[in-house]
Each structure stands twice: as structure tokens, then as C-alpha cells.
Amino acid sequence: HLINRWLFLKNQGTDDYLLTLKRILVLCLVVLMIAGCAKEEKTVKRAVFAWEGVEEADKQLLENYRIDTIFMDINHYSSIPGYNIYLLAGDPSWRVDDMEQVVEEAEEKRADGVLFDIEGNYVTLASNLSLLESDLPIYVCMPFWLDEDVQEKIIQEADGVVVMNYSKGNERLNIQKAIETAEKYGKVILTAYELQPVGEYGLEEYNTYNIDGLDAVEKNYEEQFGGTDVGIAFHNLNMMRKLNPA
């Protein structure tokens, strides 16, 4: 509308067209500023947890499973061309200042984002997330069984969530509400598959695909989430090495 008015006034030979031109330029500047303030977030669709870092020999494995994002332990950080690298960190005792330090370190290392794995008081976690300021995407791990109201608060405050969806066969049903909430707020959501052995960390057979293997993970993911925007996260790279059939 402003551009049409500017052209009309310019053709009429009046001085008002200069004022209109200024308004157009100011509007363009505002749009560019808003776009510049938005978080630059690359596609996160297929991810893996790497608590012990990534080795050169892992690259073929990552390629085979079409991994685009690595949640890399903060103590083993390294930049790997071709992958989104998110700093992975967290402890149940952490306060907001601890989280701020991780965000600052991620910015200094020029990481692509942060994933907080802070298992504990998720109500407090949601509150702390609201206090963080960063241009980097901030993701959070949360269990599938979390109260729906708390889930919504976390999803609302985070840029993305990785749901620890450790109950085999019910994966879609487990997180259906979280999927709907993520869609509501336009947030990224990934479903995590556990690969660690039965008995470790109290895991039972229904919690993990360790016996079933990676092919079973891919089959389940395709059956339950194929055609959706829900991403996948493998937990973790060390177990993928051991279970890789190649």
C-alpha cells in the first residue's frame, strides 16, 4: 500500500512522495531488525547423544543413520563440519546461573545450540528457562511421563525438547500430547530411543532397544512417526557403535 502511494505521489510531482519513501525505508528497517533478532536454527531431525565425544571412525556410522545433529558433552566439545553441534550438559543441582554459564560457553565455542539434560524439579527448570537470554536455540530433555501442565511450560520456554520416550511399543501414544503442544507453540520435538543394556541405570527390557537393535529402532520410528515433524534422537553414540550391524 505504501509503495503504491509513493509511486502515485511521485508521478504527481508532489513533495509528499519523499515522506512516504522515508516511511517505506523505516518499515523495511524494522522488518530487518526483527528478522535479525530471530534465533538462527538449523534443521534438527536426526540426532545422537555423544557423552564421550566423536571419533573419526564414527563419521561413517553417523552418515549411515543420516545424523544431522550431535548433542555433544560439554567436556568433549569439538566442531565437526556438516553437523549441528549442541553442547550437552546438566545436573539436578543446577540453578539458573549454572545454565547461563553453559549458554555463554556455547556462544564462545560457536556451537549451534544447547541441550540441557537436567533431571529433577522440572517446574523449576521451566522457570529457569524463562530467564535465559541467547540467540542460540536452547533444547531440554524431559521424560514422557511428565505432568502435561509442566510439559507445556517447558515446551513454551524452550526452543525444542527431546522426550526421553523409554517405553517400547507405546512411543506415539506416550508423547501425543507433547507433539500437539510443540505444534501449538511452533517448537521442535524429538523422540529419544534408549539403547543401553538392561540393568544399567535401572533399565528394564521394555525401556531399551539394546536387545532389539538399531534396525528395530528405525522400524518403530517409521511406523509411529513417519510423515510427521517429530525427530529422532539415539541414546547414545557409544551404544550405536556396539549395536551397529555393519
Side-chain angles (χ1 to χ4, degrees):
H1 177 73
L2 281 174
I3 293 176
N4 289 335
R5 177 173 174 77
W6 173 72
L7 290 172
F8 172 77
L9 293 173
K10 188 175 186 295
N11 291 332
Q12 294 296 313
T14 67
D15 292 336
D16 287 345
Y17 85 93
L18 292 174
L19 178 60
T20 303
L21 179 59
K22 289 180 180 179
R23 290 175 178 170
I24 293 173
L25 292 174
V26 169
L27 179 60
C28 290
L29 181 61
V30 170
V31 171
L32 288 172
M33 289 177 64
I34 292 174
C37 292
K39 294 189 177 184
E40 182 181 354
E41 187 170 354
K42 301 175 184 177
T43 300
V44 178
K45 184 68 174 179
R46 297 180 65 88
V48 63
F49 287 76
W51 295 103
E52 301 171 0
V54 178
E55 301 171 0
E56 184 67 28
D58 295 322
K59 292 184 178 180
Q60 187 60 54
L61 175 63
L62 298 175
E63 183 178 332
N64 290 346
Y65 286 90
R66 308 188 309 283
I67 300 298
D68 55 52
T69 302
I70 302 172
F71 299 135
M72 190 175 295
D73 180 74
I74 193 170
N75 297 314
H76 296 88
Y77 174 82
S78 62
S79 178
I80 304 176
Y83 295 93
N84 306 318
I85 307 297
Y86 277 52
L87 251 62
L88 170 61
D91 186 273
S93 65
W94 276 13
R95 300 173 300 181
V96 68
D97 55 334
D98 299 299
M99 298 172 69
E100 288 173 340
Q101 289 179 15
V102 172
V103 172
E104 290 174 4
E105 184 168 344
E107 292 172 341
E108 291 172 1
K109 293 180 182 295
R110 302 181 69 84
D112 296 295
V114 174
L115 173 63
F116 285 112
D117 185 9
I118 303 176
E119 301 179 34
N121 190 326
Y122 288 96
V123 175
T124 300
L125 174 58
S127 177
N128 288 344
L129 285 170
S130 68
L131 301 175
L132 296 179
E133 295 183 4
S134 176
D135 291 333
L136 291 178
I138 297 175
Y139 286 26
V140 176
C141 292
M142 68 179 191
F144 75 88
W145 46 258
L146 201 59
D147 180 84
E148 290 182 359
D149 290 338
V150 180
Q151 278 191 14
E152 180 161 7
K153 290 178 182 177
I154 290 176
I155 293 172
Q156 188 174 5
E157 297 297 342
D159 296 298
V161 291
V162 179
V163 185
M164 297 178 284
N165 197 0
Y166 304 155
S167 180
K168 294 192 312 185
N170 304 308
E171 284 88 352
R172 180 62 181 264
L173 181 62
N174 291 344
I175 67 169
Q176 183 57 41
K177 183 61 179 179
I179 294 172
E180 294 170 1
T181 305
E183 290 176 349
K184 173 182 175 181
Y185 292 105
K187 303 300 178 71
V188 176
I189 182 169
L190 293 88
T191 178
Y193 286 83
E194 181 62 87
L195 300 174
Q196 295 186 98
V198 173
E200 288 194 13
Y201 305 101
L203 292 172
E204 297 185 32
E205 189 172 343
Y206 72 88
N207 299 130
T208 176
Y209 279 82
N210 180 269
I211 296 174
D212 308 86
L214 293 172
D215 288 345
V217 170
E218 291 283 18
K219 180 180 179 182
N220 178 273
Y221 175 66
E222 182 59 32
E223 289 177 349
Q224 302 215 22
F225 301 103
T228 73
D229 292 329
V230 179
I232 182 174
F234 295 87
H235 188 262
N236 53 52
L237 179 57
N238 184 44
M239 293 311 307
M240 287 187 75
R241 294 176 186 134
K242 296 179 180 179
L243 297 176
N244 181 27

